[in-house]
Amino acid sequence: MRFVHHCALRWSDMDAYGHVNNTRFLTLYEEARVAFIYVLAKERGGPSLVDDGTVIARHEIDYLRPVVYRTHASEAPPPPPHVRIELWTEKVRGAQFTVAYELFDGDLLASRARTVCVLFDLAGQRPRRMTEWERDFLSRYEVAA
């Protein structure tokens, strides 16, 4: 199962070439990941994995094609340009999990990425074990790598 999140693009996401800047992809992926582990987890009746502590151990991004910042001048007011991010989990383990993503510009796949997340005890400043609820929630979206 995949979680789907639509991210609005901002004018500040654009680089000098009219493309979404490569560093902004990381921000877009972060928005989708936070919507998944914070908003969706709470909507499903559980704790937020963000509130209980989650830190990032690794990011990797493959850029497949540029995303052009577009506006629709013929419409008033124009809808904000956006991208669709689909994400799922991989390697759900005792204290960490991987989030895998695909970013679409319309129907075109523009980028793939992965983020290794470590559950973290904020008070003790060390990794913590995953709760049963967290494992069940993350496993619902798990796909083998």
Side-chain angles (χ1 to χ4, degrees), residues 1-40:
M1 178 173 8
R2 289 183 175 200
F3 173 72
V4 178
H5 185 71
H6 294 272
C7 290
L9 299 177
R10 295 158 293 269
W11 185 85
S12 61
D13 293 338
M14 183 175 41
D15 65 16
Y17 304 113
H19 301 147
V20 173
N21 184 282
N22 67 78
T23 62
R24 296 303 195 160
F25 279 71
L26 188 59
T27 301
L28 295 168
Y29 285 129
E30 177 185 39
E31 286 181 32
R33 184 179 64 254
V34 167
F36 174 64
I37 66 175
Y38 184 77
V39 178
L40 184 65

Side-chain angles (χ1 to χ4, degrees), residues 37-38 42 47-54 120 122 128:
I37 66 175
Y38 184 77
K42 281 192 167 192
S48 157
L49 279 72
V50 174
D51 289 344
D52 291 342
T54 304
F120 201 73
L122 297 170
R128 66 176 177 82

Side-chain angles (χ1 to χ4, degrees), residues 108 130 138:
L108 299 174
M130 191 173 294
L138 294 169

Side-chain angles (χ1 to χ4, degrees), residues 72-121:
H72 304 278
S74 63
E75 300 177 29
H82 72 278
V83 293
R84 182 179 83 249
I85 297 175
E86 298 182 7
L87 68 82
W88 59 95
T89 58
E90 299 175 341
K91 302 177 186 174
V92 176
R93 297 195 173 124
Q96 74 177 30
F97 60 98
T98 299
V99 177
Y101 321 77
E102 290 182 335
L103 184 146
F104 293 87
D105 181 15
D107 292 331
L108 299 174
L109 179 61
S111 176
R112 289 189 177 105
R114 283 190 170 68
T115 301
V116 177
C117 303
V118 177
L119 298 171
F120 201 73
D121 174 356

